[in-house]
Amino acid sequence: MQPILPVYNTFDLTFVRGEGVYLFDDHNKKYVDFSCGYGVNALGHCHPGAVAALKDQADKVWHISNMFHHPLKEKLAARITAASFANTVFFTNSGAEAWELGLKMTRRYFASIGKPEKYRMICIENAFHGRTVGAISAAPKDYMIKGFGPLLEGFDIVPFNDAAALEKAITSETAAICLETVQGEGGIRPHSQEYINQLVALAKKHDLLIFLDEVQCGMGRTGTLFAYEHYGFMPDILCTAKGIGTGFPLGALLATERVAQYMTAGSHGTTYGGNPLAMAVGNAVLDVMLADGFMETVSARGVYMAEALHGLIAQFPKLYREQRGMGLMQGVQCQSGIDNRALIDVMHHEGVISIPAGDNVVRILPPLIISEREIDEGITAMHHASQKFMEKI
Ligand SMILES: *Cc1c(COP(=O)(O)O)cnc(C)c1O
């Protein structure tokens, strides 16, 4: 057997170096990175500010337990709470860990206020929350759950963006609604404003918590620090990760005091979460993201990217159906009968790294620091790839 557990259907590419929006393979061929590790490298590869922060921290102290204070952890938590709906933050190493705490916190909240019967969570079809048993129970896909049962009980799955189905699924046992503000793995699908309005009203009416998974769509990806800001409402709990560490493993669970107050000492923990190296990088990421004008630039680049993708669709209508997304979280859905993965293989060959998403989508998650010229470069490679793909079919 291969020495690496073969749970990935790996592309035949080996990357050894990255710089800004570019990746370099083991033959020193250069690629525009339109995926940045599933939306992770928010500041691109080896961002000077992040590198300097990490190196500086590496010379000071790598790890201390959460039993002790560290100034960078307190600083990062203060900045995140000041910039969001949240009153408190818990740092993790990954998105799934942060999501899992959101689940525990939800149950703990209702158990603590004398409503232990409210333990069920409504989740959305084609969602993705990670690979822990809790997360795969909440977003079960056959290939992700097969042979791993019994799964965790207590999830009700409803169709995407369907308020009537959501309302029907609510019972006296429902504790929360969990959703990706913009669905990522499911195919880069934003919810409609009308749906979110109805969801917020239903949550209020039935005393439900709103738990957002912004692991992929948060941290500036959509042109606001958090994607919920576009919709004008506040969640109770939110998990994020990916972009917050721009490649250093870091996640966070954000919550209001009302919900979080029952998570008392000993009720949860982590060895590595909140480690000084991660905190140094997280602060370096916020230095960039919270700077004046940064989010406006991300939004403008998102509009530019979306227009470029419309151009691609117009030129290759036999390959592509529609553009989707918000900010720099973009996708183009392929026509049925067109294999997105095969098309993506050709794109890689032409020097642009895109990745697949559900619903036959070619997913585009470039670094948030990408320039218009760099977008053009990646889009040109997508045009070349599309031309070559057309010639083959
Ligand atoms: C990637 C992702 C996760 C899981 O994050 P990990 O760091 O892989 O555990 C959870 N939710 C969403 C929406 C994601 O995109």
Side-chain angles (χ1 to χ4, degrees):
M1 193 177 181
Q2 299 157 239
I4 293 175
L5 189 73
V7 292
Y8 276 88
N9 185 12
T10 323
F11 288 106
D12 194 15
L13 276 173
T14 302
F15 293 118
V16 293
R17 191 163 64 84
E19 191 184 322
V21 304
Y22 300 107
L23 277 173
F24 297 84
D25 72 10
D26 49 352
H27 303 289
N28 209 29
K29 180 176 164 183
K30 185 177 172 182
Y31 300 79
V32 181
D33 191 357
F34 266 12
S35 68
C36 56
Y38 289 82
V40 167
N41 308 90
L43 308 188
H45 298 282
C46 300
H47 183 274
V51 170
L54 183 59
K55 283 185 172 167
D56 181 56
Q57 188 56 45
D59 282 331
K60 288 180 176 156
V61 63
W62 285 24
H63 181 79
I64 53 172
S65 161
N66 281 306
M67 292 295 283
F68 304 97
H69 298 289
H70 189 273
L72 290 179
K73 185 166 72 177
E74 268 135 59
K75 182 177 172 186
L76 186 58
R79 294 172 91 183
I80 291 174
T81 51
S84 72
F85 74 96
N87 306 115
T88 189
V89 182
F90 182 87
F91 294 112
T92 66
N93 309 286
S94 69
E97 280 172 80
W99 184 87
E100 199 79 24
L101 172 56
L103 171 65
K104 286 172 74 175
M105 191 182 280
T106 298
R107 290 187 173 185
R108 180 94 168 194
Y109 168 74
F110 284 105
S112 303
I113 62 167
K115 296 180 180 170
E117 72 285 359
K118 279 169 85 79
Y119 74 98
R120 302 190 69 83
M121 193 174 271
I122 295 178
C123 296
I124 312 295
E125 219 166 67
N126 293 317
F128 181 78
H129 301 302
R131 300 292 194 149
T132 58
V133 172
I136 63 172
S137 303
K141 289 249 176 56
D142 285 345
Y143 69 94
M144 280 169 52
I145 61 172
K146 198 176 157 214
F148 296 147
L151 297 180
L152 190 63
E153 204 264 329
F155 300 98
D156 301 301
I157 315 295
V158 298
F160 178 83
N161 208 53
D162 183 339
L166 173 63
E167 181 161 22
K168 240 173 95 185
I170 297 169
T171 71
S172 58
E173 294 184 342
T174 307
I177 308 164
C178 176
L179 69 158
E180 295 161 83
T181 320
V182 179
Q183 208 174 67
E185 303 304 307
I188 311 294
R189 301 196 296 175
H191 289 91
S192 68
Q193 180 71 55
E194 192 191 352
Y195 174 77
I196 295 292
N197 292 348
Q198 287 172 290
L199 181 149
V200 170
L202 287 168
K204 192 162 182 200
K205 180 172 166 196
H206 297 279
D207 186 20
L208 313 177
L209 301 182
I210 300 177
F211 173 13
L212 297 180
D213 182 341
E214 296 214 3
V215 171
Q216 194 165 144
C217 64
M219 299 312 295
R221 181 53 53 194
T222 65
T224 49
L225 189 60
F226 294 105
Y228 71 79
E229 296 169 42
H230 290 287
Y231 293 95
F233 76 109
M234 301 274 196
D236 301 286
I237 302 177
L238 179 150
C239 61
T240 192
K242 294 198 167 101
I244 191 173
T246 195
F248 198 92
L250 174 58
L253 193 280
L254 286 61
T256 60
E257 181 177 10
R258 177 173 77 100
V259 177
Q261 63 184 299
Y262 306 104
M263 297 297 298
T264 48
S267 64
H268 194 64
T270 170
T271 297
Y272 291 119
N275 141 323
L277 296 170
M279 296 299 95
V281 175
N283 275 297
V285 167
L286 282 193
D287 288 345
V288 175
M289 288 194 184
L290 298 180
D292 270 353
F294 183 79
M295 289 304 163
E296 287 76 5
T297 305
V298 173
S299 295
R301 297 283 191 271
V303 170
Y304 189 84
M305 177 70 89
E307 278 169 10
L309 293 173
H310 280 294
L312 182 75
I313 296 166
Q315 191 146 355
F316 299 99
K318 288 206 169 81
L319 296 184
Y320 305 108
R321 270 184 64 180
E322 63 169 14
Q323 168 275 342
R324 307 164 167 190
M326 275 168 109
L328 285 172
M329 183 169 185
Q330 293 284 333
V332 275
Q333 189 189 31
C334 297
Q335 295 288 6
S336 55
I338 300 296
D339 175 8
N340 61 341
R341 168 122 187 170
L343 187 46
I344 284 166
D345 268 324
V346 186
M347 290 180 187
H348 291 178
H349 191 76
E350 292 301 312
V352 61
I353 305 301
S354 55
I355 42 172
D359 216 14
N360 208 16
V361 163
V362 175
R363 176 167 22 177
I364 313 289
L365 306 171
L368 305 183
I369 48 109
I370 197 165
S371 67
E372 289 187 354
R373 188 185 55 74
E374 290 161 339
I375 291 175
D376 292 344
E377 213 178 308
I379 291 288
T380 300
M382 288 177 78
H383 274 263
H384 289 160
S386 304
Q387 189 61 47
K388 288 212 167 140
F389 194 85
M390 283 295 291
E391 286 159 13
K392 282 198 304 189
I393 56 172

